[in-house]
Amino acid sequence: APAPDDGPVPPTAPAPPPNGLWTTPDAVPRVGIAADAPLSMSSFADLARAVRPTVVNISVTQRVVVPTSRRDRFLFPFMPGQPEGYENRGLGSGFVISAEGYILTNFHVVDGADTITVRFDDGTRLAAELIGADPPTDVALLKVTPEKPLAAAPLGDSDALDVGEWVLAIGNPFG
């Protein structure tokens, strides 16, 4: 008797293109693991290696102004040059979702930032602009202007997942 049909078995990961980058969403392979396939840590290592060029480090700065009060002026009249504020710095992670330079990150990483800088796996740094955000879900969309098309990670379809299936979050908040 024929074996029951459990549906299509996802393909194995193809080798990356010669330059190591997939620059269009259609060119990025969809990698899956068959339900009965043995799992190993190399399964994750291969996937992480494939998407590494799409993962970015995000650094932000925010100027915080400290208001002076009458008490400060009364107590410290002979101490000119007291700082009126300071610069907050933060780090986070994100990933490129389009060759044109759109990047997804967490909203809490860029919330209130005056400057946003994105550093890519090859060391390239680009200024980014906050394009959109959804604070309740902690998601933000950034835009950089690259000189050449960027490698982009495909977005998955959470509706296509079953409870108990593996998912992988990849990031690099500390560079």
Side-chain angles (χ1 to χ4, degrees), residues 116-158:
I116 304 170
T117 304
V118 175
R119 187 170 58 107
F120 295 83
D121 189 49
D122 66 1
T124 302
R125 293 176 189 266
L126 295 174
E129 178 184 358
L130 178 62
I131 298 296
D134 184 37
T137 59
D138 195 30
V139 174
L141 181 66
L142 306 178
K143 174 71 169 87
V144 296
T145 305
E147 293 182 9
K148 59 184 180 186
L150 299 173
L155 294 178
D157 180 6
S158 61

PDB file of all heavy atoms in Angstrom, residues 116-158:
ATOM      1  N   ILE A 116      19.490  57.993  13.584  1.00  0.00           N
ATOM      2  CA  ILE A 116      19.462  56.533  13.471  1.00  0.00           C
ATOM      3  C   ILE A 116      20.527  56.148  12.448  1.00  0.00           C
ATOM      4  O   ILE A 116      20.511  56.653  11.315  1.00  0.00           O
ATOM      5  CB  ILE A 116      18.087  56.022  12.995  1.00  0.00           C
ATOM      6  CG1 ILE A 116      16.975  56.517  13.915  1.00  0.00           C
ATOM      7  CG2 ILE A 116      18.090  54.493  12.889  1.00  0.00           C
ATOM      8  CD1 ILE A 116      15.567  56.260  13.385  1.00  0.00           C
ATOM      9  N   THR A 117      21.447  55.274  12.842  1.00  0.00           N
ATOM     10  CA  THR A 117      22.496  54.807  11.946  1.00  0.00           C
ATOM     11  C   THR A 117      22.412  53.292  11.853  1.00  0.00           C
ATOM     12  O   THR A 117      22.300  52.600  12.868  1.00  0.00           O
ATOM     13  CB  THR A 117      23.895  55.216  12.458  1.00  0.00           C
ATOM     14  OG1 THR A 117      23.924  56.633  12.619  1.00  0.00           O
ATOM     15  CG2 THR A 117      24.981  54.794  11.483  1.00  0.00           C
ATOM     16  N   VAL A 118      22.464  52.786  10.626  1.00  0.00           N
ATOM     17  CA  VAL A 118      22.385  51.353  10.379  1.00  0.00           C
ATOM     18  C   VAL A 118      23.754  50.875   9.915  1.00  0.00           C
ATOM     19  O   VAL A 118      24.349  51.458   9.007  1.00  0.00           O
ATOM     20  CB  VAL A 118      21.313  51.041   9.310  1.00  0.00           C
ATOM     21  CG1 VAL A 118      21.311  49.566   8.949  1.00  0.00           C
ATOM     22  CG2 VAL A 118      19.943  51.483   9.790  1.00  0.00           C
ATOM     23  N   ARG A 119      24.260  49.813  10.564  1.00  0.00           N
ATOM     24  CA  ARG A 119      25.533  49.215  10.160  1.00  0.00           C
ATOM     25  C   ARG A 119      25.254  47.822   9.613  1.00  0.00           C
ATOM     26  O   ARG A 119      24.608  46.999  10.259  1.00  0.00           O
ATOM     27  CB  ARG A 119      26.506  49.128  11.326  1.00  0.00           C
ATOM     28  CG  ARG A 119      27.898  48.658  10.882  1.00  0.00           C
ATOM     29  CD  ARG A 119      28.908  48.797  11.991  1.00  0.00           C
ATOM     30  NE  ARG A 119      28.512  48.057  13.158  1.00  0.00           N
ATOM     31  CZ  ARG A 119      29.080  46.926  13.544  1.00  0.00           C
ATOM     32  NH1 ARG A 119      30.064  46.403  12.872  1.00  0.00           N
ATOM     33  NH2 ARG A 119      28.652  46.317  14.633  1.00  0.00           N
ATOM     34  N   PHE A 120      25.774  47.582   8.416  1.00  0.00           N
ATOM     35  CA  PHE A 120      25.559  46.320   7.722  1.00  0.00           C
ATOM     36  C   PHE A 120      26.697  45.344   8.026  1.00  0.00           C
ATOM     37  O   PHE A 120      27.740  45.726   8.546  1.00  0.00           O
ATOM     38  CB  PHE A 120      25.446  46.567   6.215  1.00  0.00           C
ATOM     39  CG  PHE A 120      24.227  47.379   5.862  1.00  0.00           C
ATOM     40  CD1 PHE A 120      24.250  48.759   5.943  1.00  0.00           C
ATOM     41  CD2 PHE A 120      23.048  46.755   5.490  1.00  0.00           C
ATOM     42  CE1 PHE A 120      23.128  49.513   5.651  1.00  0.00           C
ATOM     43  CE2 PHE A 120      21.917  47.495   5.201  1.00  0.00           C
ATOM     44  CZ  PHE A 120      21.962  48.880   5.281  1.00  0.00           C
ATOM     45  N   ASP A 121      26.478  44.099   7.670  1.00  0.00           N
ATOM     46  CA  ASP A 121      27.436  43.026   7.928  1.00  0.00           C
ATOM     47  C   ASP A 121      28.813  43.333   7.338  1.00  0.00           C
ATOM     48  O   ASP A 121      29.828  42.950   7.904  1.00  0.00           O
ATOM     49  CB  ASP A 121      26.892  41.710   7.357  1.00  0.00           C
ATOM     50  CG  ASP A 121      27.718  40.513   7.756  1.00  0.00           C
ATOM     51  OD1 ASP A 121      28.014  40.365   8.960  1.00  0.00           O
ATOM     52  OD2 ASP A 121      28.081  39.720   6.857  1.00  0.00           O
ATOM     53  N   ASP A 122      28.867  44.049   6.216  1.00  0.00           N
ATOM     54  CA  ASP A 122      30.150  44.365   5.581  1.00  0.00           C
ATOM     55  C   ASP A 122      30.810  45.615   6.174  1.00  0.00           C
ATOM     56  O   ASP A 122      31.850  46.055   5.705  1.00  0.00           O
ATOM     57  CB  ASP A 122      29.980  44.523   4.069  1.00  0.00           C
ATOM     58  CG  ASP A 122      29.132  45.731   3.677  1.00  0.00           C
ATOM     59  OD1 ASP A 122      28.664  46.487   4.569  1.00  0.00           O
ATOM     60  OD2 ASP A 122      28.928  45.934   2.459  1.00  0.00           O
ATOM     61  N   GLY A 123      30.194  46.204   7.212  1.00  0.00           N
ATOM     62  CA  GLY A 123      30.761  47.385   7.863  1.00  0.00           C
ATOM     63  C   GLY A 123      30.209  48.702   7.363  1.00  0.00           C
ATOM     64  O   GLY A 123      30.460  49.753   7.960  1.00  0.00           O
ATOM     65  N   THR A 124      29.469  48.692   6.273  1.00  0.00           N
ATOM     66  CA  THR A 124      28.876  49.910   5.730  1.00  0.00           C
ATOM     67  C   THR A 124      27.926  50.530   6.749  1.00  0.00           C
ATOM     68  O   THR A 124      27.154  49.824   7.391  1.00  0.00           O
ATOM     69  CB  THR A 124      28.086  49.610   4.430  1.00  0.00           C
ATOM     70  OG1 THR A 124      28.976  49.013   3.491  1.00  0.00           O
ATOM     71  CG2 THR A 124      27.462  50.857   3.845  1.00  0.00           C
ATOM     72  N   ARG A 125      27.984  51.850   6.886  1.00  0.00           N
ATOM     73  CA  ARG A 125      27.080  52.584   7.777  1.00  0.00           C
ATOM     74  C   ARG A 125      26.271  53.567   6.937  1.00  0.00           C
ATOM     75  O   ARG A 125      26.833  54.303   6.136  1.00  0.00           O
ATOM     76  CB  ARG A 125      27.861  53.359   8.834  1.00  0.00           C
ATOM     77  CG  ARG A 125      28.575  52.486   9.823  1.00  0.00           C
ATOM     78  CD  ARG A 125      29.411  53.329  10.785  1.00  0.00           C
ATOM     79  NE  ARG A 125      30.261  52.500  11.595  1.00  0.00           N
ATOM     80  CZ  ARG A 125      29.949  52.060  12.801  1.00  0.00           C
ATOM     81  NH1 ARG A 125      28.801  52.387  13.332  1.00  0.00           N
ATOM     82  NH2 ARG A 125      30.782  51.297  13.472  1.00  0.00           N
ATOM     83  N   LEU A 126      24.964  53.578   7.180  1.00  0.00           N
ATOM     84  CA  LEU A 126      24.074  54.504   6.477  1.00  0.00           C
ATOM     85  C   LEU A 126      23.117  55.148   7.473  1.00  0.00           C
ATOM     86  O   LEU A 126      22.647  54.488   8.411  1.00  0.00           O
ATOM     87  CB  LEU A 126      23.253  53.775   5.412  1.00  0.00           C
ATOM     88  CG  LEU A 126      24.013  53.169   4.235  1.00  0.00           C
ATOM     89  CD1 LEU A 126      23.068  52.365   3.345  1.00  0.00           C
ATOM     90  CD2 LEU A 126      24.711  54.256   3.425  1.00  0.00           C
ATOM     91  N   ALA A 127      22.822  56.422   7.244  1.00  0.00           N
ATOM     92  CA  ALA A 127      21.806  57.104   8.041  1.00  0.00           C
ATOM     93  C   ALA A 127      20.449  56.545   7.647  1.00  0.00           C
ATOM     94  O   ALA A 127      20.203  56.232   6.480  1.00  0.00           O
ATOM     95  CB  ALA A 127      21.860  58.603   7.785  1.00  0.00           C
ATOM     96  N   ALA A 128      19.567  56.421   8.624  1.00  0.00           N
ATOM     97  CA  ALA A 128      18.228  55.883   8.364  1.00  0.00           C
ATOM     98  C   ALA A 128      17.175  56.878   8.814  1.00  0.00           C
ATOM     99  O   ALA A 128      17.409  57.697   9.704  1.00  0.00           O
ATOM    100  CB  ALA A 128      18.038  54.558   9.087  1.00  0.00           C
ATOM    101  N   GLU A 129      16.013  56.751   8.187  1.00  0.00           N
ATOM    102  CA  GLU A 129      14.856  57.576   8.531  1.00  0.00           C
ATOM    103  C   GLU A 129      13.737  56.653   9.013  1.00  0.00           C
ATOM    104  O   GLU A 129      13.521  55.582   8.436  1.00  0.00           O
ATOM    105  CB  GLU A 129      14.407  58.344   7.294  1.00  0.00           C
ATOM    106  CG  GLU A 129      13.193  59.190   7.484  1.00  0.00           C
ATOM    107  CD  GLU A 129      12.739  59.869   6.190  1.00  0.00           C
ATOM    108  OE1 GLU A 129      13.392  59.709   5.145  1.00  0.00           O
ATOM    109  OE2 GLU A 129      11.699  60.534   6.239  1.00  0.00           O
ATOM    110  N   LEU A 130      13.038  57.081  10.053  1.00  0.00           N
ATOM    111  CA  LEU A 130      11.881  56.330  10.534  1.00  0.00           C
ATOM    112  C   LEU A 130      10.724  56.610   9.592  1.00  0.00           C
ATOM    113  O   LEU A 130      10.272  57.746   9.470  1.00  0.00           O
ATOM    114  CB  LEU A 130      11.536  56.745  11.965  1.00  0.00           C
ATOM    115  CG  LEU A 130      10.321  56.077  12.599  1.00  0.00           C
ATOM    116  CD1 LEU A 130      10.528  54.573  12.711  1.00  0.00           C
ATOM    117  CD2 LEU A 130      10.046  56.685  13.962  1.00  0.00           C
ATOM    118  N   ILE A 131      10.239  55.572   8.915  1.00  0.00           N
ATOM    119  CA  ILE A 131       9.164  55.711   7.930  1.00  0.00           C
ATOM    120  C   ILE A 131       7.804  55.454   8.560  1.00  0.00           C
ATOM    121  O   ILE A 131       6.819  56.102   8.245  1.00  0.00           O
ATOM    122  CB  ILE A 131       9.379  54.721   6.753  1.00  0.00           C
ATOM    123  CG1 ILE A 131      10.678  55.039   6.034  1.00  0.00           C
ATOM    124  CG2 ILE A 131       8.213  54.732   5.787  1.00  0.00           C
ATOM    125  CD1 ILE A 131      10.695  56.393   5.363  1.00  0.00           C
ATOM    126  N   GLY A 132       7.744  54.489   9.451  1.00  0.00           N
ATOM    127  CA  GLY A 132       6.476  54.148  10.084  1.00  0.00           C
ATOM    128  C   GLY A 132       6.708  53.324  11.334  1.00  0.00           C
ATOM    129  O   GLY A 132       7.780  52.758  11.525  1.00  0.00           O
ATOM    130  N   ALA A 133       5.692  53.288  12.191  1.00  0.00           N
ATOM    131  CA  ALA A 133       5.818  52.533  13.435  1.00  0.00           C
ATOM    132  C   ALA A 133       4.442  52.106  13.930  1.00  0.00           C
ATOM    133  O   ALA A 133       3.441  52.761  13.650  1.00  0.00           O
ATOM    134  CB  ALA A 133       6.512  53.375  14.500  1.00  0.00           C
ATOM    135  N   ASP A 134       4.435  51.002  14.658  1.00  0.00           N
ATOM    136  CA  ASP A 134       3.245  50.531  15.341  1.00  0.00           C
ATOM    137  C   ASP A 134       3.643  50.218  16.781  1.00  0.00           C
ATOM    138  O   ASP A 134       4.036  49.089  17.093  1.00  0.00           O
ATOM    139  CB  ASP A 134       2.664  49.294  14.651  1.00  0.00           C
ATOM    140  CG  ASP A 134       1.360  48.848  15.298  1.00  0.00           C
ATOM    141  OD1 ASP A 134       0.575  49.729  15.720  1.00  0.00           O
ATOM    142  OD2 ASP A 134       1.127  47.631  15.388  1.00  0.00           O
ATOM    143  N   PRO A 135       3.585  51.222  17.664  1.00  0.00           N
ATOM    144  CA  PRO A 135       4.034  51.019  19.049  1.00  0.00           C
ATOM    145  C   PRO A 135       3.361  49.850  19.768  1.00  0.00           C
ATOM    146  O   PRO A 135       4.050  49.122  20.496  1.00  0.00           O
ATOM    147  CB  PRO A 135       3.735  52.363  19.723  1.00  0.00           C
ATOM    148  CG  PRO A 135       3.804  53.354  18.606  1.00  0.00           C
ATOM    149  CD  PRO A 135       3.237  52.628  17.407  1.00  0.00           C
ATOM    150  N   PRO A 136       2.057  49.597  19.588  1.00  0.00           N
ATOM    151  CA  PRO A 136       1.460  48.476  20.322  1.00  0.00           C
ATOM    152  C   PRO A 136       2.095  47.114  19.995  1.00  0.00           C
ATOM    153  O   PRO A 136       2.158  46.246  20.851  1.00  0.00           O
ATOM    154  CB  PRO A 136      -0.012  48.505  19.917  1.00  0.00           C
ATOM    155  CG  PRO A 136      -0.265  49.917  19.523  1.00  0.00           C
ATOM    156  CD  PRO A 136       1.016  50.387  18.891  1.00  0.00           C
ATOM    157  N   THR A 137       2.554  46.956  18.766  1.00  0.00           N
ATOM    158  CA  THR A 137       3.209  45.687  18.404  1.00  0.00           C
ATOM    159  C   THR A 137       4.727  45.808  18.412  1.00  0.00           C
ATOM    160  O   THR A 137       5.424  44.846  18.069  1.00  0.00           O
ATOM    161  CB  THR A 137       2.734  45.188  17.022  1.00  0.00           C
ATOM    162  OG1 THR A 137       3.038  46.183  16.034  1.00  0.00           O
ATOM    163  CG2 THR A 137       1.257  44.883  17.031  1.00  0.00           C
ATOM    164  N   ASP A 138       5.258  46.975  18.775  1.00  0.00           N
ATOM    165  CA  ASP A 138       6.698  47.227  18.894  1.00  0.00           C
ATOM    166  C   ASP A 138       7.429  46.990  17.578  1.00  0.00           C
ATOM    167  O   ASP A 138       8.508  46.411  17.538  1.00  0.00           O
ATOM    168  CB  ASP A 138       7.309  46.374  20.015  1.00  0.00           C
ATOM    169  CG  ASP A 138       8.700  46.858  20.422  1.00  0.00           C
ATOM    170  OD1 ASP A 138       8.962  48.076  20.304  1.00  0.00           O
ATOM    171  OD2 ASP A 138       9.521  46.025  20.835  1.00  0.00           O
ATOM    172  N   VAL A 139       6.843  47.466  16.470  1.00  0.00           N
ATOM    173  CA  VAL A 139       7.445  47.312  15.146  1.00  0.00           C
ATOM    174  C   VAL A 139       7.688  48.692  14.550  1.00  0.00           C
ATOM    175  O   VAL A 139       6.855  49.588  14.693  1.00  0.00           O
ATOM    176  CB  VAL A 139       6.529  46.493  14.207  1.00  0.00           C
ATOM    177  CG1 VAL A 139       7.077  46.449  12.800  1.00  0.00           C
ATOM    178  CG2 VAL A 139       6.348  45.083  14.742  1.00  0.00           C
ATOM    179  N   ALA A 140       8.838  48.851  13.887  1.00  0.00           N
ATOM    180  CA  ALA A 140       9.153  50.106  13.198  1.00  0.00           C
ATOM    181  C   ALA A 140       9.758  49.782  11.834  1.00  0.00           C
ATOM    182  O   ALA A 140      10.443  48.767  11.664  1.00  0.00           O
ATOM    183  CB  ALA A 140      10.121  50.944  14.018  1.00  0.00           C
ATOM    184  N   LEU A 141       9.499  50.671  10.881  1.00  0.00           N
ATOM    185  CA  LEU A 141      10.041  50.540   9.533  1.00  0.00           C
ATOM    186  C   LEU A 141      10.994  51.699   9.285  1.00  0.00           C
ATOM    187  O   LEU A 141      10.618  52.867   9.431  1.00  0.00           O
ATOM    188  CB  LEU A 141       8.908  50.545   8.497  1.00  0.00           C
ATOM    189  CG  LEU A 141       9.335  50.399   7.041  1.00  0.00           C
ATOM    190  CD1 LEU A 141       9.947  49.017   6.797  1.00  0.00           C
ATOM    191  CD2 LEU A 141       8.141  50.630   6.117  1.00  0.00           C
ATOM    192  N   LEU A 142      12.230  51.360   8.917  1.00  0.00           N
ATOM    193  CA  LEU A 142      13.243  52.354   8.606  1.00  0.00           C
ATOM    194  C   LEU A 142      13.529  52.335   7.117  1.00  0.00           C
ATOM    195  O   LEU A 142      13.255  51.347   6.440  1.00  0.00           O
ATOM    196  CB  LEU A 142      14.547  52.053   9.347  1.00  0.00           C
ATOM    197  CG  LEU A 142      14.481  51.882  10.850  1.00  0.00           C
ATOM    198  CD1 LEU A 142      15.869  51.538  11.400  1.00  0.00           C
ATOM    199  CD2 LEU A 142      13.940  53.135  11.503  1.00  0.00           C
ATOM    200  N   LYS A 143      14.132  53.417   6.622  1.00  0.00           N
ATOM    201  CA  LYS A 143      14.540  53.488   5.214  1.00  0.00           C
ATOM    202  C   LYS A 143      15.942  54.057   5.145  1.00  0.00           C
ATOM    203  O   LYS A 143      16.239  55.074   5.768  1.00  0.00           O
ATOM    204  CB  LYS A 143      13.567  54.376   4.425  1.00  0.00           C
ATOM    205  CG  LYS A 143      13.963  54.638   2.975  1.00  0.00           C
ATOM    206  CD  LYS A 143      13.806  53.406   2.126  1.00  0.00           C
ATOM    207  CE  LYS A 143      13.933  53.681   0.634  1.00  0.00           C
ATOM    208  NZ  LYS A 143      15.280  53.633   0.119  1.00  0.00           N
ATOM    209  N   VAL A 144      16.820  53.354   4.436  1.00  0.00           N
ATOM    210  CA  VAL A 144      18.146  53.857   4.108  1.00  0.00           C
ATOM    211  C   VAL A 144      18.215  54.030   2.602  1.00  0.00           C
ATOM    212  O   VAL A 144      17.390  53.478   1.866  1.00  0.00           O
ATOM    213  CB  VAL A 144      19.272  52.901   4.585  1.00  0.00           C
ATOM    214  CG1 VAL A 144      19.283  52.775   6.093  1.00  0.00           C
ATOM    215  CG2 VAL A 144      19.174  51.539   3.924  1.00  0.00           C
ATOM    216  N   THR A 145      19.192  54.786   2.130  1.00  0.00           N
ATOM    217  CA  THR A 145      19.386  54.976   0.697  1.00  0.00           C
ATOM    218  C   THR A 145      20.703  54.316   0.312  1.00  0.00           C
ATOM    219  O   THR A 145      21.766  54.934   0.426  1.00  0.00           O
ATOM    220  CB  THR A 145      19.390  56.479   0.338  1.00  0.00           C
ATOM    221  OG1 THR A 145      18.185  57.066   0.837  1.00  0.00           O
ATOM    222  CG2 THR A 145      19.483  56.690  -1.161  1.00  0.00           C
ATOM    223  N   PRO A 146      20.640  53.066  -0.129  1.00  0.00           N
ATOM    224  CA  PRO A 146      21.870  52.346  -0.467  1.00  0.00           C
ATOM    225  C   PRO A 146      22.389  52.742  -1.844  1.00  0.00           C
ATOM    226  O   PRO A 146      21.624  53.180  -2.707  1.00  0.00           O
ATOM    227  CB  PRO A 146      21.430  50.885  -0.444  1.00  0.00           C
ATOM    228  CG  PRO A 146      19.983  50.929  -0.829  1.00  0.00           C
ATOM    229  CD  PRO A 146      19.454  52.225  -0.271  1.00  0.00           C
ATOM    230  N   GLU A 147      23.703  52.575  -2.038  1.00  0.00           N
ATOM    231  CA  GLU A 147      24.304  52.837  -3.353  1.00  0.00           C
ATOM    232  C   GLU A 147      24.043  51.690  -4.313  1.00  0.00           C
ATOM    233  O   GLU A 147      24.095  51.873  -5.528  1.00  0.00           O
ATOM    234  CB  GLU A 147      25.801  53.070  -3.197  1.00  0.00           C
ATOM    235  CG  GLU A 147      26.131  54.349  -2.450  1.00  0.00           C
ATOM    236  CD  GLU A 147      27.629  54.580  -2.339  1.00  0.00           C
ATOM    237  OE1 GLU A 147      28.414  53.836  -2.987  1.00  0.00           O
ATOM    238  OE2 GLU A 147      28.002  55.506  -1.605  1.00  0.00           O
ATOM    239  N   LYS A 148      23.807  50.498  -3.775  1.00  0.00           N
ATOM    240  CA  LYS A 148      23.535  49.316  -4.602  1.00  0.00           C
ATOM    241  C   LYS A 148      22.420  48.528  -3.926  1.00  0.00           C
ATOM    242  O   LYS A 148      22.157  48.714  -2.731  1.00  0.00           O
ATOM    243  CB  LYS A 148      24.789  48.457  -4.755  1.00  0.00           C
ATOM    244  CG  LYS A 148      25.339  47.966  -3.441  1.00  0.00           C
ATOM    245  CD  LYS A 148      26.640  47.205  -3.610  1.00  0.00           C
ATOM    246  CE  LYS A 148      27.104  46.745  -2.229  1.00  0.00           C
ATOM    247  NZ  LYS A 148      28.380  46.135  -2.241  1.00  0.00           N
ATOM    248  N   PRO A 149      21.744  47.643  -4.650  1.00  0.00           N
ATOM    249  CA  PRO A 149      20.668  46.859  -4.036  1.00  0.00           C
ATOM    250  C   PRO A 149      21.185  46.047  -2.845  1.00  0.00           C
ATOM    251  O   PRO A 149      22.301  45.533  -2.860  1.00  0.00           O
ATOM    252  CB  PRO A 149      20.202  45.935  -5.166  1.00  0.00           C
ATOM    253  CG  PRO A 149      20.623  46.623  -6.418  1.00  0.00           C
ATOM    254  CD  PRO A 149      21.899  47.359  -6.073  1.00  0.00           C
ATOM    255  N   LEU A 150      20.354  45.964  -1.818  1.00  0.00           N
ATOM    256  CA  LEU A 150      20.713  45.245  -0.600  1.00  0.00           C
ATOM    257  C   LEU A 150      20.167  43.827  -0.623  1.00  0.00           C
ATOM    258  O   LEU A 150      19.140  43.555  -1.243  1.00  0.00           O
ATOM    259  CB  LEU A 150      20.134  45.977   0.616  1.00  0.00           C
ATOM    260  CG  LEU A 150      20.605  47.405   0.844  1.00  0.00           C
ATOM    261  CD1 LEU A 150      19.820  48.049   1.968  1.00  0.00           C
ATOM    262  CD2 LEU A 150      22.099  47.437   1.131  1.00  0.00           C
ATOM    263  N   ALA A 151      20.847  42.941   0.085  1.00  0.00           N
ATOM    264  CA  ALA A 151      20.317  41.602   0.300  1.00  0.00           C
ATOM    265  C   ALA A 151      19.107  41.742   1.212  1.00  0.00           C
ATOM    266  O   ALA A 151      19.136  42.509   2.172  1.00  0.00           O
ATOM    267  CB  ALA A 151      21.370  40.714   0.951  1.00  0.00           C
ATOM    268  N   ALA A 152      18.023  41.048   0.908  1.00  0.00           N
ATOM    269  CA  ALA A 152      16.787  41.182   1.669  1.00  0.00           C
ATOM    270  C   ALA A 152      16.312  39.829   2.175  1.00  0.00           C
ATOM    271  O   ALA A 152      16.342  38.835   1.450  1.00  0.00           O
ATOM    272  CB  ALA A 152      15.703  41.819   0.804  1.00  0.00           C
ATOM    273  N   ALA A 153      15.889  39.795   3.426  1.00  0.00           N
ATOM    274  CA  ALA A 153      15.323  38.579   4.006  1.00  0.00           C
ATOM    275  C   ALA A 153      13.836  38.524   3.671  1.00  0.00           C
ATOM    276  O   ALA A 153      13.148  39.543   3.738  1.00  0.00           O
ATOM    277  CB  ALA A 153      15.509  38.577   5.522  1.00  0.00           C
ATOM    278  N   PRO A 154      13.335  37.365   3.322  1.00  0.00           N
ATOM    279  CA  PRO A 154      11.904  37.261   3.047  1.00  0.00           C
ATOM    280  C   PRO A 154      11.120  37.244   4.359  1.00  0.00           C
ATOM    281  O   PRO A 154      11.621  36.794   5.389  1.00  0.00           O
ATOM    282  CB  PRO A 154      11.784  35.915   2.337  1.00  0.00           C
ATOM    283  CG  PRO A 154      12.904  35.110   2.911  1.00  0.00           C
ATOM    284  CD  PRO A 154      14.031  36.089   3.150  1.00  0.00           C
ATOM    285  N   LEU A 155       9.925  37.765   4.309  1.00  0.00           N
ATOM    286  CA  LEU A 155       9.039  37.677   5.470  1.00  0.00           C
ATOM    287  C   LEU A 155       8.274  36.363   5.384  1.00  0.00           C
ATOM    288  O   LEU A 155       7.820  35.966   4.316  1.00  0.00           O
ATOM    289  CB  LEU A 155       8.060  38.854   5.500  1.00  0.00           C
ATOM    290  CG  LEU A 155       8.682  40.227   5.719  1.00  0.00           C
ATOM    291  CD1 LEU A 155       7.610  41.300   5.690  1.00  0.00           C
ATOM    292  CD2 LEU A 155       9.437  40.279   7.031  1.00  0.00           C
ATOM    293  N   GLY A 156       8.142  35.701   6.500  1.00  0.00           N
ATOM    294  CA  GLY A 156       7.396  34.454   6.536  1.00  0.00           C
ATOM    295  C   GLY A 156       5.910  34.705   6.682  1.00  0.00           C
ATOM    296  O   GLY A 156       5.458  35.838   6.819  1.00  0.00           O
ATOM    297  N   ASP A 157       5.145  33.645   6.649  1.00  0.00           N
ATOM    298  CA  ASP A 157       3.698  33.718   6.798  1.00  0.00           C
ATOM    299  C   ASP A 157       3.317  32.967   8.065  1.00  0.00           C
ATOM    300  O   ASP A 157       3.276  31.736   8.079  1.00  0.00           O
ATOM    301  CB  ASP A 157       3.019  33.100   5.578  1.00  0.00           C
ATOM    302  CG  ASP A 157       1.506  33.134   5.671  1.00  0.00           C
ATOM    303  OD1 ASP A 157       0.954  33.728   6.625  1.00  0.00           O
ATOM    304  OD2 ASP A 157       0.853  32.563   4.773  1.00  0.00           O
ATOM    305  N   SER A 158       3.052  33.693   9.137  1.00  0.00           N
ATOM    306  CA  SER A 158       2.742  33.038  10.410  1.00  0.00           C
ATOM    307  C   SER A 158       1.463  32.212  10.329  1.00  0.00           C
ATOM    308  O   SER A 158       1.283  31.271  11.101  1.00  0.00           O
ATOM    309  CB  SER A 158       2.645  34.067  11.534  1.00  0.00           C
ATOM    310  OG  SER A 158       1.615  34.994  11.266  1.00  0.00           O
TER     311      SER A 158
END
